[in-house]
Amino acid sequence: MTTRRFQGTSLGPLLPPFDFAQNGFRQQPRELRKSWIPAVLLMLLLLPSHAVGAQITLDSDEQFRFAVQTMEKSDYLRAVVEFERFLRFFPEDKNVPKAKLLIAQCYLKAKDYESARKSVHEILNVYRGTLVGGKALFLMGESYYEQGLYEEAERYFKGVIGAYPEPELKNSAAYRLGWIQMQTGKWQEASETFKTVGAGSPLFPNAQDLSVKSLGGELLPYKDPTTAGALSVVPGLGHVYCDRYKDGLVAFLLNGLFIWATIEAFQEDQEVLGAVLGFIELGFYSGTIYSAVNSAHKHNRKLKDDFLKGLPDAVDLGIFATKEGHIGLALKFTF
Amino acid sequence: MKTAKSLTSTLLVLGLLILGSSGEASAQASPPRDEIGGSNPALWLVNLYRDHISPIDGDRCPSLPTCSSYSVQALKKHGFFLGWMMTVDRLLHEGQEETKVSPVVYSGGTWRIFDPVENNDFWWYRQATRHDD
C-alpha cells in the first residue's frame, strides 16, 4: 500500500515554506518574527475553519477500491477517470496491471470499442507474453465479438489459445471461439470447440451443455436464399417462400404493371416511353429478386438470434472487478 | 424494322441512364449539397421527391430511416444499381411483415420499424476493419 498526502487548502502554495519543528521561533530574527506573526494570525482568522489543516490522504488501495466500486455502479467512464487517477499517483503499485485491464474493460462496457482497443494496445506494448498480456488479448477479441466482427474476434481468441498456456485463459478463449462459431452458423465446429474446454474449468459444465445444444442450430427451419432468388423469376414467389405474402403480392402487382405498360408502350410505337418503362422495370425486377434473397437472410438471422438468446453465455466480463480483487474470468450463469 | 427501332431506342435510353449514373466514389466526391444528386439521376429523383412531393404528401413511411433517406444512403453507399435495387427492396418490404424480422423503435412521436441500410446489406457487405495487432 502506498500513501500520498495533499494539502487541502488552495492557499497552501502561497505560504512560504517554514519548518516550525526544526527552526522554531526562538531561532528566528526578531524582525522576521514581528512581520510573520500578525500576518499568519490574520490569515488564520480569515480562513474558514475546515480549510485549516484539511488534507487528503490518498491511499492506493482505497483509490483502487473506489474506482472498482464506481465501475460496479456501472458508471464506467467515471471509473476510467478514477483508475487513471490511481495510475497517475501510484505508478509503481502492484495493482497497476489490473487497473489498466479494468480501464479497457470499462470502455468495453461503455461500448466505446475504439478506446477499449487503444487501452488494450497500450497494455500489450508493456505486458505482451505475460498473463496480463493474454488477458488483454482476450479483451481485444471480446471487443470485436461484442461489435459483431466475428472474423477479427476469432483471430484474437485463436491467438490467445496459441500463445498463452494458462489453462483458464485458454479455456475462456476456446469457449468464446465456440460462441463465434455459433454466431457464424458453424454449428458442428462450435460443438467440437466447446468440447475442448477443460474439465477443471468453471466454464466446463456450461461448455458441455452448449456442445450438445449448439447442434440444434442446424435443425432450425432456415430459408435458402438461393431458392428465394430463383423463385423470384416469377416476381413475388420468392417472398411467398419466405412467408411474406403481402410483400409477394405487392411485388407481383408492381412488376406485372410495369411489364404490361412496357409492352403496351412498344406496341403503340412509343419506343422512348417503352424504353424508360422497361428500364424502370429492370430496376424493379432486380430489386424484387434482391428483396427475396434479403428476406431469406433476415429470416435466417432472426431464427439464429432467437436460438442463441435461449442459450446461456457463462463468460461475464464483470469479472475483473471482484471484491477479492482477482483478475480473472468470473462466471455468470444465466438460466 | 420495328423491332430494330425499339431495340435502338431502348439501348439509347439505357446507355444515357447508365452513363449518367455514378457509384460510391463519385457520390462522395460531390460537393456538400450532393443531395441534389450531382450526376446520379437516382439521387436527383429521390431529392426531387423529398423536396417537392413529400412535404405535400406527408410523412407516411413507417420505417426509420424514412424510405427517401434510406434510398439516398443506399445510393451513396453502393452506387446507382445496387442503391436502386435496395430502394426497391425497401419499398416492397416496408409493410407490417417486416416487424417479424426487424425491431420496432419509438422515434419522432411514433413507433417505426428500424431498418437502416446495414439491416439489408449485412449478408454481403461489411466495412473494412483495421488489423494492427
mmCIF file of all heavy atoms in Angstrom, chain B residues 10-53:
data_model
loop_
_atom_site.group_PDB
_atom_site.id
_atom_site.type_symbol
_atom_site.label_atom_id
_atom_site.label_comp_id
_atom_site.label_asym_id
_atom_site.label_seq_id
_atom_site.Cartn_x
_atom_site.Cartn_y
_atom_site.Cartn_z
ATOM 1 N N THR B 10 -34.347 1.624 -76.900
ATOM 2 C CA THR B 10 -34.139 1.083 -75.555
ATOM 3 C C THR B 10 -32.684 1.196 -75.145
ATOM 4 O O THR B 10 -32.364 1.671 -74.055
ATOM 5 C CB THR B 10 -34.568 -0.410 -75.506
ATOM 6 O OG1 THR B 10 -35.875 -0.503 -76.034
ATOM 7 C CG2 THR B 10 -34.544 -0.955 -74.086
ATOM 8 N N LEU B 11 -31.813 0.777 -76.085
ATOM 9 C CA LEU B 11 -30.379 0.820 -75.768
ATOM 10 C C LEU B 11 -29.903 2.249 -75.556
ATOM 11 O O LEU B 11 -29.084 2.522 -74.689
ATOM 12 C CB LEU B 11 -29.577 0.152 -76.903
ATOM 13 C CG LEU B 11 -29.707 -1.371 -76.985
ATOM 14 C CD1 LEU B 11 -29.012 -1.900 -78.228
ATOM 15 C CD2 LEU B 11 -29.129 -2.035 -75.731
ATOM 16 N N LEU B 12 -30.457 3.176 -76.350
ATOM 17 C CA LEU B 12 -30.069 4.584 -76.216
ATOM 18 C C LEU B 12 -30.443 5.122 -74.835
ATOM 19 O O LEU B 12 -29.622 5.739 -74.148
ATOM 20 C CB LEU B 12 -30.765 5.395 -77.314
ATOM 21 C CG LEU B 12 -30.280 6.850 -77.469
ATOM 22 C CD1 LEU B 12 -28.838 6.880 -77.984
ATOM 23 C CD2 LEU B 12 -31.195 7.621 -78.417
ATOM 24 N N VAL B 13 -31.676 4.864 -74.427
ATOM 25 C CA VAL B 13 -32.136 5.349 -73.112
ATOM 26 C C VAL B 13 -31.338 4.694 -71.993
ATOM 27 O O VAL B 13 -30.876 5.361 -71.064
ATOM 28 C CB VAL B 13 -33.657 5.085 -72.935
ATOM 29 C CG1 VAL B 13 -34.086 5.395 -71.511
ATOM 30 C CG2 VAL B 13 -34.460 5.914 -73.915
ATOM 31 N N LEU B 14 -31.145 3.379 -72.138
ATOM 32 C CA LEU B 14 -30.372 2.660 -71.114
ATOM 33 C C LEU B 14 -28.956 3.213 -71.020
ATOM 34 O O LEU B 14 -28.444 3.450 -69.925
ATOM 35 C CB LEU B 14 -30.308 1.160 -71.439
ATOM 36 C CG LEU B 14 -31.569 0.344 -71.168
ATOM 37 C CD1 LEU B 14 -31.378 -1.082 -71.658
ATOM 38 C CD2 LEU B 14 -31.939 0.346 -69.707
ATOM 39 N N GLY B 15 -28.355 3.443 -72.183
ATOM 40 C CA GLY B 15 -26.989 3.965 -72.234
ATOM 41 C C GLY B 15 -26.887 5.319 -71.561
ATOM 42 O O GLY B 15 -25.966 5.561 -70.779
ATOM 43 N N LEU B 16 -27.851 6.192 -71.852
ATOM 44 C CA LEU B 16 -27.841 7.532 -71.241
ATOM 45 C C LEU B 16 -27.970 7.450 -69.725
ATOM 46 O O LEU B 16 -27.272 8.137 -68.989
ATOM 47 C CB LEU B 16 -28.982 8.385 -71.820
ATOM 48 C CG LEU B 16 -28.743 8.921 -73.232
ATOM 49 C CD1 LEU B 16 -30.017 9.562 -73.787
ATOM 50 C CD2 LEU B 16 -27.600 9.943 -73.240
ATOM 51 N N LEU B 17 -28.874 6.584 -69.280
ATOM 52 C CA LEU B 17 -29.078 6.447 -67.833
ATOM 53 C C LEU B 17 -27.842 5.858 -67.145
ATOM 54 O O LEU B 17 -27.452 6.301 -66.073
ATOM 55 C CB LEU B 17 -30.308 5.575 -67.547
ATOM 56 C CG LEU B 17 -31.644 6.298 -67.740
ATOM 57 C CD1 LEU B 17 -32.785 5.295 -67.784
ATOM 58 C CD2 LEU B 17 -31.886 7.330 -66.641
ATOM 59 N N ILE B 18 -27.236 4.873 -67.821
ATOM 60 C CA ILE B 18 -26.045 4.244 -67.231
ATOM 61 C C ILE B 18 -24.885 5.235 -67.194
ATOM 62 O O ILE B 18 -24.195 5.370 -66.198
ATOM 63 C CB ILE B 18 -25.658 2.969 -68.004
ATOM 64 C CG1 ILE B 18 -26.716 1.880 -67.754
ATOM 65 C CG2 ILE B 18 -24.276 2.467 -67.599
ATOM 66 C CD1 ILE B 18 -26.675 0.732 -68.714
ATOM 67 N N LEU B 19 -24.715 5.988 -68.288
ATOM 68 C CA LEU B 19 -23.632 6.972 -68.331
ATOM 69 C C LEU B 19 -23.839 8.060 -67.287
ATOM 70 O O LEU B 19 -22.902 8.574 -66.695
ATOM 71 C CB LEU B 19 -23.539 7.607 -69.723
ATOM 72 C CG LEU B 19 -22.864 6.747 -70.799
ATOM 73 C CD1 LEU B 19 -22.986 7.425 -72.156
ATOM 74 C CD2 LEU B 19 -21.393 6.521 -70.456
ATOM 75 N N GLY B 20 -25.108 8.389 -67.085
ATOM 76 C CA GLY B 20 -25.415 9.448 -66.107
ATOM 77 C C GLY B 20 -25.308 8.989 -64.683
ATOM 78 O O GLY B 20 -25.242 9.791 -63.774
ATOM 79 N N SER B 21 -25.310 7.674 -64.472
ATOM 80 C CA SER B 21 -25.282 7.174 -63.098
ATOM 81 C C SER B 21 -23.873 7.242 -62.557
ATOM 82 O O SER B 21 -22.904 7.284 -63.292
ATOM 83 C CB SER B 21 -25.766 5.729 -63.066
ATOM 84 O OG SER B 21 -24.840 4.911 -63.707
ATOM 85 N N SER B 22 -23.772 7.259 -61.236
ATOM 86 C CA SER B 22 -22.449 7.265 -60.621
ATOM 87 C C SER B 22 -22.444 6.366 -59.414
ATOM 88 O O SER B 22 -23.445 6.174 -58.768
ATOM 89 C CB SER B 22 -22.063 8.678 -60.205
ATOM 90 O OG SER B 22 -22.989 9.160 -59.277
ATOM 91 N N GLY B 23 -21.295 5.855 -59.097
ATOM 92 C CA GLY B 23 -21.147 4.941 -57.964
ATOM 93 C C GLY B 23 -20.772 5.668 -56.700
ATOM 94 O O GLY B 23 -20.919 6.881 -56.605
ATOM 95 N N GLU B 24 -20.257 4.905 -55.762
ATOM 96 C CA GLU B 24 -19.926 5.417 -54.435
ATOM 97 C C GLU B 24 -18.877 6.524 -54.495
ATOM 98 O O GLU B 24 -19.024 7.547 -53.857
ATOM 99 C CB GLU B 24 -19.395 4.267 -53.589
ATOM 100 C CG GLU B 24 -19.218 4.622 -52.154
ATOM 101 C CD GLU B 24 -18.879 3.382 -51.328
ATOM 102 O OE1 GLU B 24 -18.706 2.314 -51.919
ATOM 103 O OE2 GLU B 24 -18.787 3.516 -50.113
ATOM 104 N N ALA B 25 -17.839 6.292 -55.301
ATOM 105 C CA ALA B 25 -16.730 7.233 -55.326
ATOM 106 C C ALA B 25 -17.170 8.602 -55.796
ATOM 107 O O ALA B 25 -16.874 9.616 -55.168
ATOM 108 C CB ALA B 25 -15.639 6.700 -56.246
ATOM 109 N N SER B 26 -17.920 8.660 -56.869
ATOM 110 C CA SER B 26 -18.326 9.963 -57.380
ATOM 111 C C SER B 26 -19.344 10.620 -56.466
ATOM 112 O O SER B 26 -19.379 11.839 -56.342
ATOM 113 C CB SER B 26 -18.887 9.819 -58.785
ATOM 114 O OG SER B 26 -19.951 8.914 -58.787
ATOM 115 N N ALA B 27 -20.146 9.803 -55.778
ATOM 116 C CA ALA B 27 -21.118 10.376 -54.849
ATOM 117 C C ALA B 27 -20.400 11.045 -53.689
ATOM 118 O O ALA B 27 -20.791 12.088 -53.208
ATOM 119 C CB ALA B 27 -22.054 9.289 -54.328
ATOM 120 N N GLN B 28 -19.281 10.434 -53.262
ATOM 121 C CA GLN B 28 -18.551 11.003 -52.136
ATOM 122 C C GLN B 28 -17.766 12.234 -52.556
ATOM 123 O O GLN B 28 -17.557 13.141 -51.758
ATOM 124 C CB GLN B 28 -17.589 9.964 -51.576
ATOM 125 C CG GLN B 28 -18.305 8.952 -50.692
ATOM 126 C CD GLN B 28 -17.407 7.827 -50.251
ATOM 127 O OE1 GLN B 28 -16.294 7.682 -50.755
ATOM 128 N NE2 GLN B 28 -17.887 7.019 -49.344
ATOM 129 N N ALA B 29 -17.355 12.240 -53.832
ATOM 130 C CA ALA B 29 -16.545 13.354 -54.283
ATOM 131 C C ALA B 29 -17.365 14.602 -54.582
ATOM 132 O O ALA B 29 -16.828 15.679 -54.706
ATOM 133 C CB ALA B 29 -15.791 12.936 -55.540
ATOM 134 N N SER B 30 -18.671 14.474 -54.645
ATOM 135 C CA SER B 30 -19.507 15.617 -54.984
ATOM 136 C C SER B 30 -19.572 16.608 -53.827
ATOM 137 O O SER B 30 -19.257 16.284 -52.702
ATOM 138 C CB SER B 30 -20.896 15.123 -55.362
ATOM 139 O OG SER B 30 -21.387 14.283 -54.365
ATOM 140 N N PRO B 31 -19.974 17.866 -54.124
ATOM 141 C CA PRO B 31 -19.991 18.893 -53.086
ATOM 142 C C PRO B 31 -20.986 18.575 -51.973
ATOM 143 O O PRO B 31 -21.794 17.658 -52.105
ATOM 144 C CB PRO B 31 -20.413 20.147 -53.870
ATOM 145 C CG PRO B 31 -21.086 19.648 -55.089
ATOM 146 C CD PRO B 31 -20.444 18.358 -55.408
ATOM 147 N N PRO B 32 -20.946 19.340 -50.846
ATOM 148 C CA PRO B 32 -21.805 19.035 -49.713
ATOM 149 C C PRO B 32 -23.286 18.885 -50.072
ATOM 150 O O PRO B 32 -23.971 18.040 -49.557
ATOM 151 C CB PRO B 32 -21.604 20.234 -48.789
ATOM 152 C CG PRO B 32 -20.282 20.772 -49.147
ATOM 153 C CD PRO B 32 -20.069 20.455 -50.588
ATOM 154 N N ARG B 33 -23.761 19.690 -50.963
ATOM 155 C CA ARG B 33 -25.184 19.586 -51.323
ATOM 156 C C ARG B 33 -25.331 18.493 -52.386
ATOM 157 O O ARG B 33 -25.940 18.688 -53.425
ATOM 158 C CB ARG B 33 -25.688 20.955 -51.806
ATOM 159 C CG ARG B 33 -27.146 21.028 -52.236
ATOM 160 C CD ARG B 33 -28.116 20.601 -51.166
ATOM 161 N NE ARG B 33 -29.490 20.698 -51.691
ATOM 162 C CZ ARG B 33 -30.478 19.931 -51.302
ATOM 163 N NH1 ARG B 33 -30.287 19.021 -50.386
ATOM 164 N NH2 ARG B 33 -31.684 20.067 -51.817
ATOM 165 N N ASP B 34 -24.731 17.345 -52.089
ATOM 166 C CA ASP B 34 -24.842 16.249 -53.052
ATOM 167 C C ASP B 34 -26.221 15.618 -52.993
ATOM 168 O O ASP B 34 -26.545 14.755 -53.771
ATOM 169 C CB ASP B 34 -23.747 15.205 -52.854
ATOM 170 C CG ASP B 34 -23.745 14.643 -51.459
ATOM 171 O OD1 ASP B 34 -24.560 15.079 -50.634
ATOM 172 O OD2 ASP B 34 -22.921 13.784 -51.196
ATOM 173 N N GLU B 35 -27.036 16.088 -52.037
ATOM 174 C CA GLU B 35 -28.410 15.593 -52.012
ATOM 175 C C GLU B 35 -29.136 15.999 -53.300
ATOM 176 O O GLU B 35 -30.134 15.419 -53.672
ATOM 177 C CB GLU B 35 -29.164 16.165 -50.816
ATOM 178 C CG GLU B 35 -28.722 15.569 -49.499
ATOM 179 C CD GLU B 35 -27.860 16.504 -48.686
ATOM 180 O OE1 GLU B 35 -28.282 17.657 -48.496
ATOM 181 O OE2 GLU B 35 -26.777 16.103 -48.261
ATOM 182 N N ILE B 36 -28.599 17.047 -53.924
ATOM 183 C CA ILE B 36 -29.207 17.461 -55.189
ATOM 184 C C ILE B 36 -29.124 16.305 -56.185
ATOM 185 O O ILE B 36 -30.007 16.123 -56.999
ATOM 186 C CB ILE B 36 -28.461 18.695 -55.770
ATOM 187 C CG1 ILE B 36 -28.692 19.889 -54.864
ATOM 188 C CG2 ILE B 36 -28.923 19.018 -57.169
ATOM 189 C CD1 ILE B 36 -27.780 21.046 -55.147
ATOM 190 N N GLY B 37 -28.092 15.526 -56.046
ATOM 191 C CA GLY B 37 -27.984 14.368 -56.910
ATOM 192 C C GLY B 37 -26.718 14.345 -57.713
ATOM 193 O O GLY B 37 -26.254 13.295 -58.103
ATOM 194 N N GLY B 38 -26.124 15.522 -57.929
ATOM 195 C CA GLY B 38 -24.916 15.556 -58.734
ATOM 196 C C GLY B 38 -25.180 14.922 -60.084
ATOM 197 O O GLY B 38 -26.150 15.251 -60.757
ATOM 198 N N SER B 39 -24.339 13.973 -60.476
ATOM 199 C CA SER B 39 -24.535 13.321 -61.765
ATOM 200 C C SER B 39 -25.321 12.014 -61.612
ATOM 201 O O SER B 39 -25.459 11.272 -62.556
ATOM 202 C CB SER B 39 -23.170 13.055 -62.406
ATOM 203 O OG SER B 39 -22.420 12.232 -61.530
ATOM 204 N N ASN B 40 -25.779 11.728 -60.411
ATOM 205 C CA ASN B 40 -26.529 10.498 -60.172
ATOM 206 C C ASN B 40 -28.023 10.778 -60.343
ATOM 207 O O ASN B 40 -28.634 11.445 -59.499
ATOM 208 C CB ASN B 40 -26.231 9.989 -58.759
ATOM 209 C CG ASN B 40 -26.765 8.588 -58.535
ATOM 210 O OD1 ASN B 40 -27.785 8.215 -59.110
ATOM 211 N ND2 ASN B 40 -26.081 7.834 -57.702
ATOM 212 N N PRO B 41 -28.622 10.305 -61.426
ATOM 213 C CA PRO B 41 -30.031 10.638 -61.677
ATOM 214 C C PRO B 41 -30.964 10.084 -60.603
ATOM 215 O O PRO B 41 -31.997 10.683 -60.312
ATOM 216 C CB PRO B 41 -30.317 9.997 -63.031
ATOM 217 C CG PRO B 41 -29.261 8.971 -63.220
ATOM 218 C CD PRO B 41 -28.078 9.438 -62.465
ATOM 219 N N ALA B 42 -30.591 8.968 -60.014
ATOM 220 C CA ALA B 42 -31.451 8.385 -58.981
ATOM 221 C C ALA B 42 -31.492 9.284 -57.754
ATOM 222 O O ALA B 42 -32.558 9.530 -57.176
ATOM 223 C CB ALA B 42 -30.955 6.995 -58.613
ATOM 224 N N LEU B 43 -30.306 9.802 -57.370
ATOM 225 C CA LEU B 43 -30.268 10.728 -56.228
ATOM 226 C C LEU B 43 -31.071 11.982 -56.540
ATOM 227 O O LEU B 43 -31.771 12.518 -55.690
ATOM 228 C CB LEU B 43 -28.818 11.107 -55.920
ATOM 229 C CG LEU B 43 -28.053 10.230 -54.930
ATOM 230 C CD1 LEU B 43 -26.618 10.704 -54.822
ATOM 231 C CD2 LEU B 43 -28.700 10.267 -53.554
ATOM 232 N N TRP B 44 -30.952 12.420 -57.751
ATOM 233 C CA TRP B 44 -31.677 13.623 -58.189
ATOM 234 C C TRP B 44 -33.191 13.396 -58.067
ATOM 235 O O TRP B 44 -33.918 14.238 -57.555
ATOM 236 C CB TRP B 44 -31.306 13.947 -59.640
ATOM 237 C CG TRP B 44 -31.875 15.241 -60.128
ATOM 238 C CD1 TRP B 44 -31.348 16.484 -59.961
ATOM 239 C CD2 TRP B 44 -33.105 15.407 -60.839
ATOM 240 N NE1 TRP B 44 -32.165 17.417 -60.526
ATOM 241 C CE2 TRP B 44 -33.262 16.793 -61.083
ATOM 242 C CE3 TRP B 44 -34.097 14.545 -61.312
ATOM 243 C CZ2 TRP B 44 -34.348 17.325 -61.754
ATOM 244 C CZ3 TRP B 44 -35.185 15.074 -61.982
ATOM 245 C CH2 TRP B 44 -35.307 16.457 -62.200
ATOM 246 N N LEU B 45 -33.620 12.230 -58.505
ATOM 247 C CA LEU B 45 -35.054 11.904 -58.434
ATOM 248 C C LEU B 45 -35.537 11.793 -56.988
ATOM 249 O O LEU B 45 -36.600 12.308 -56.632
ATOM 250 C CB LEU B 45 -35.326 10.583 -59.162
ATOM 251 C CG LEU B 45 -35.420 10.661 -60.676
ATOM 252 C CD1 LEU B 45 -35.469 9.262 -61.277
ATOM 253 C CD2 LEU B 45 -36.671 11.448 -61.103
ATOM 254 N N VAL B 46 -34.720 11.135 -56.164
ATOM 255 C CA VAL B 46 -35.109 10.973 -54.751
ATOM 256 C C VAL B 46 -35.219 12.338 -54.090
ATOM 257 O O VAL B 46 -36.164 12.617 -53.345
ATOM 258 C CB VAL B 46 -34.086 10.084 -53.987
ATOM 259 C CG1 VAL B 46 -34.407 10.059 -52.498
ATOM 260 C CG2 VAL B 46 -34.097 8.673 -54.530
ATOM 261 N N ASN B 47 -34.265 13.220 -54.404
ATOM 262 C CA ASN B 47 -34.303 14.542 -53.786
ATOM 263 C C ASN B 47 -35.422 15.413 -54.339
ATOM 264 O O ASN B 47 -35.959 16.252 -53.618
ATOM 265 C CB ASN B 47 -32.947 15.226 -53.922
ATOM 266 C CG ASN B 47 -31.970 14.643 -52.915
ATOM 267 O OD1 ASN B 47 -32.189 14.776 -51.715
ATOM 268 N ND2 ASN B 47 -30.951 13.967 -53.387
ATOM 269 N N LEU B 48 -35.756 15.171 -55.567
ATOM 270 C CA LEU B 48 -36.917 15.870 -56.136
ATOM 271 C C LEU B 48 -38.166 15.489 -55.334
ATOM 272 O O LEU B 48 -38.976 16.335 -54.956
ATOM 273 C CB LEU B 48 -37.083 15.463 -57.603
ATOM 274 C CG LEU B 48 -38.176 16.193 -58.373
ATOM 275 C CD1 LEU B 48 -37.697 17.597 -58.747
ATOM 276 C CD2 LEU B 48 -38.550 15.426 -59.647
ATOM 277 N N TYR B 49 -38.250 14.195 -55.029
ATOM 278 C CA TYR B 49 -39.377 13.700 -54.229
ATOM 279 C C TYR B 49 -39.334 14.301 -52.819
ATOM 280 O O TYR B 49 -40.340 14.798 -52.314
ATOM 281 C CB TYR B 49 -39.336 12.173 -54.172
ATOM 282 C CG TYR B 49 -40.284 11.596 -53.151
ATOM 283 C CD1 TYR B 49 -41.639 11.452 -53.449
ATOM 284 C CD2 TYR B 49 -39.834 11.238 -51.880
ATOM 285 C CE1 TYR B 49 -42.520 10.955 -52.501
ATOM 286 C CE2 TYR B 49 -40.712 10.737 -50.928
ATOM 287 C CZ TYR B 49 -42.054 10.601 -51.243
ATOM 288 O OH TYR B 49 -42.915 10.117 -50.302
ATOM 289 N N ARG B 50 -38.160 14.277 -52.212
ATOM 290 C CA ARG B 50 -38.030 14.755 -50.828
ATOM 291 C C ARG B 50 -38.342 16.241 -50.713
ATOM 292 O O ARG B 50 -38.963 16.695 -49.756
ATOM 293 C CB ARG B 50 -36.609 14.524 -50.314
ATOM 294 C CG ARG B 50 -36.314 13.089 -50.035
ATOM 295 C CD ARG B 50 -34.856 12.923 -49.708
ATOM 296 N NE ARG B 50 -34.577 13.279 -48.328
ATOM 297 C CZ ARG B 50 -33.382 13.178 -47.774
ATOM 298 N NH1 ARG B 50 -32.368 12.750 -48.475
ATOM 299 N NH2 ARG B 50 -33.191 13.497 -46.533
ATOM 300 N N ASP B 51 -37.879 17.012 -51.695
ATOM 301 C CA ASP B 51 -38.015 18.466 -51.605
ATOM 302 C C ASP B 51 -39.389 18.958 -52.038
ATOM 303 O O ASP B 51 -39.873 19.976 -51.541
ATOM 304 C CB ASP B 51 -36.936 19.160 -52.469
ATOM 305 C CG ASP B 51 -35.541 18.908 -51.921
ATOM 306 O OD1 ASP B 51 -35.446 18.476 -50.748
ATOM 307 O OD2 ASP B 51 -34.556 19.115 -52.659
ATOM 308 N N HIS B 52 -40.025 18.283 -52.977
ATOM 309 C CA HIS B 52 -41.237 18.851 -53.568
ATOM 310 C C HIS B 52 -42.498 18.003 -53.392
ATOM 311 O O HIS B 52 -43.597 18.553 -53.381
ATOM 312 C CB HIS B 52 -41.007 19.128 -55.060
ATOM 313 C CG HIS B 52 -39.874 20.084 -55.296
ATOM 314 N ND1 HIS B 52 -39.956 21.422 -55.000
ATOM 315 C CD2 HIS B 52 -38.618 19.874 -55.760
ATOM 316 C CE1 HIS B 52 -38.801 22.010 -55.281
ATOM 317 N NE2 HIS B 52 -37.975 21.080 -55.743
ATOM 318 N N ILE B 53 -42.329 16.704 -53.278
ATOM 319 C CA ILE B 53 -43.545 15.869 -53.180
ATOM 320 C C ILE B 53 -43.845 15.498 -51.728
ATOM 321 O O ILE B 53 -44.964 15.669 -51.257
ATOM 322 C CB ILE B 53 -43.412 14.592 -54.046
ATOM 323 C CG1 ILE B 53 -43.189 15.012 -55.512
ATOM 324 C CG2 ILE B 53 -44.644 13.701 -53.913
ATOM 325 C CD1 ILE B 53 -42.851 13.874 -56.446
#
